[in-house]
Amino acid sequence: TRGETGYPMVDAGMRELYETGWMMQNVRMITASFLTEYLNINWVEGERWFHSTLVDADTAINSMMWQNAGRSGIDQWNFVMSPENGAQDPS
């Protein structure tokens, strides 16, 4: 929540979200991928925190995005987004 992961893009996004209640969609995806794939945090935890922090929180969209990031949604991501440059890693 404090943006202290050591990955500048993730850290900046988390600080922006915490301070303003906003985060760009592409940074949301990178952050979600980082939390679920790199930190092995269950997508439900990310969804809860983002939903309570986002000014523009939308239950359906936020839940769907986090389910997809956690590879349990109907439109599961078949990639991992790099926390360093936002590139899609097909692994």
Side-chain angles (χ1 to χ4, degrees):
T1 62
R2 289 169 280 174
E4 298 174 349
T5 66
Y7 291 90
M9 191 177 314
V10 174
D11 292 347
M14 293 302 288
R15 285 192 302 269
E16 175 186 38
L17 176 59
Y18 187 71
E19 293 170 11
T20 69
W22 300 95
M23 181 188 281
M24 290 177 52
Q25 180 61 29
N26 60 331
V27 181
R28 291 181 193 193
M29 292 174 67
I30 292 164
T31 304
S33 183
F34 179 77
L35 290 173
T36 58
E37 297 292 335
Y38 287 78
L39 299 181
N40 292 313
I41 294 174
N42 188 297
W43 69 266
V44 174
E45 297 301 318
E47 188 278 331
R48 284 182 189 147
W49 193 83
F50 269 63
H51 188 78
S52 68
T53 309
L54 284 165
V55 172
D56 65 342
D58 179 286
T59 301
I61 292 171
N62 196 42
S63 297
M64 182 186 72
M65 192 271 303
W66 278 98
Q67 287 173 15
N68 294 339
R71 298 180 188 234
S72 62
I74 59 170
D75 188 25
Q76 297 175 25
W77 298 349
N78 59 356
F79 55 86
V80 174
M81 296 191 79
S82 168
E84 295 174 350
N85 60 21
Q88 293 181 3
D89 176 2
S91 60

